[in-house]
Structures are given as C-alpha cells and as structure tokens.
C-alpha cells in the first residue's frame, strides 16, 4: 500500500510513480491533495502498475477528462473503472 498525503507532487510526480517499477504489485493507492490533473490521471489510467489494485483513492477534484481517462482505462481493474464511470455520468 502507498499513501501520498498533502504533498503537491502534481502531474509530474504522479507520472513518475505510475511508471515506477517499484509499484508493480501495488494493491492500494491513497492520494490526498496531490494536485493531480488530466495528465496525471491519464498516466494512472495507462499504468500497468495498478492492474492488481483493489482500491485507488484520489481526493483531488478531478476534471471530467481525468475521470473519463480513469473510467475508460484498459489497465485498471473493472471495479475501479466502474466507480469512476459512475462519477462521469
């Protein structure tokens, strides 16, 4: 499990973590107030590191584009995609 809290890493930090080989078997990501934008959300959606994740908690206000990227991901588990799909609709 990884928790990032009140650390404004922004899209660059999210992208670096999404691509990190050290997070390949991540089960839970909790990210609170990290300033994630559309690029960061797209990186999470593309990342194979979250293929096995049971929970990805993001507290930041996500744009409709960011939510759509997460909902339409080919790599995130179905339960996570469905949760974001509900927020888009």
């Amino acid at each position: 499990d990884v928790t990032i809290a009140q650390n404004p890493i922004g899209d660059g930090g999210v992208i670096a973590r999404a691509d990190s080989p050290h997070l390949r078997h991540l089960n839970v990501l909790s990210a609170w107030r990290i300033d994630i934008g559309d690029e960061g959300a797209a990186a999470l959606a593309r990342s194979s590191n979250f293929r096995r994740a049971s929970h990805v908690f993001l507290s930041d206000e996500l744009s409709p584009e960011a939510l759509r990227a997460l909902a339409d991901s080919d790599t995130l588990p179905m339960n996570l995609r469905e949760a974001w799909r509900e927020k888009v609709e």
Side-chain angles (χ1 to χ4, degrees):
D1 296 5
V2 172
T3 299
I4 306 167
Q6 298 182 355
N7 184 351
I9 61 173
D11 286 337
V14 173
I15 292 166
R17 282 154 183 84
D19 294 337
S20 173
H22 303 290
L23 299 179
R24 284 204 179 116
H25 302 290
L26 186 72
N27 291 316
V28 176
L29 171 65
S30 297
W32 308 99
R33 297 182 180 164
I34 61 170
D35 293 336
I36 184 173
D38 294 348
E39 290 180 36
L44 288 178
R46 289 190 303 269
S47 177
S48 61
N49 286 344
F50 304 101
R51 200 175 294 268
R52 297 179 183 177
S54 59
H55 299 306
V56 175
F57 301 105
L58 301 172
S59 72
D60 290 337
E61 291 291 324
L62 299 175
S63 72
E65 293 80 14
L67 289 169
R68 176 63 57 202
L70 294 165
D72 292 343
S73 171
D74 290 332
T75 57
L76 291 173
M78 182 61 77
N79 64 317
L80 297 179
R81 288 182 280 167
E82 288 175 352
W84 278 305
R85 199 165 289 131
E86 289 175 9
K87 292 181 181 188
V88 171
E89 297 172 353

